[in-house]
Amino acid sequence: MASTAFEEIVEDFEFLEDWEDRYRHVIEQGKAMDPLDDALKVAATKVDGCASQVWLHPTIEAGVFHFDGESDAMIVRGLIAVLRALYNDLTLGEVLAVDARAELSRLGLNDHLSAQRSNGLTAMVQRIRETAAAAS
């Protein structure tokens, strides 16, 4: 079910054996994202439950889901990039069908993120799913 972009991240993680290299790779993914326009960093796009500041801005066109995001923490910005690879350009039904926990476990993230970061990641996934469900 995972997108080609997410599968590429999985392959990169398999190649990078050391977790520090994987961590750096996640951060690099975040650095490669375009910044979110400051006008979109508002209460409606802010994700509660994250230790750092996080904003997700979804758009849905012709039933296809896409979102951009931003965080003031480098690793969280990278996690947003990973979630974009997992969810962007899927139909609303596909977004709801993604088992994020299973897909993300392929990267081993749950074993290497702090409890606060894991909670924040869960909050971001929940926001994505809620947005897709409301638009369905």
Side-chain angles (χ1 to χ4, degrees):
M1 175 77 214
S3 68
T4 303
F6 186 77
E7 289 300 334
E8 288 174 8
I9 294 173
V10 171
E11 288 176 19
D12 290 343
F13 266 54
E14 289 171 356
F15 178 75
L16 300 169
E17 294 179 15
D18 181 64
W19 179 250
E20 286 186 27
D21 291 336
R22 291 177 177 185
Y23 202 72
R24 271 192 292 278
H25 184 65
V26 169
I27 290 171
E28 290 302 317
Q29 295 288 313
K31 286 180 178 178
M33 284 191 324
D34 290 333
L36 190 64
D37 188 325
D38 284 341
L40 298 174
K41 295 178 185 176
V42 296
T45 61
K46 191 166 190 300
V47 179
D48 295 324
C50 298
S52 55
Q53 301 278 342
V54 176
W55 298 269
L56 300 181
H57 180 257
T59 56
I60 299 161
E61 292 184 25
V64 176
F65 183 84
H66 181 88
F67 80 94
D68 294 307
E70 181 79 60
S71 176
D72 60 353
M74 302 256 289
I75 187 61
V76 177
R77 187 172 164 83
L79 294 173
I80 292 168
V82 169
L83 290 176
R84 288 181 74 216
L86 183 60
Y87 287 108
N88 273 359
D89 303 322
L90 297 180
T91 66
L92 295 173
E94 289 169 335
V95 168
L96 295 172
V98 168
D99 182 346
R101 178 169 289 181
E103 294 296 340
L104 294 171
S105 73
R106 296 171 58 201
L107 301 177
L109 289 174
N110 291 339
D111 298 333
H112 297 280
L113 293 177
S114 68
Q116 283 185 318
R117 295 280 187 242
S118 283
N119 290 343
L121 185 59
T122 299
M124 288 187 280
V125 168
Q126 182 176 341
R127 172 69 66 91
I128 289 165
R129 291 183 56 78
E130 287 171 355
T131 301
S136 297

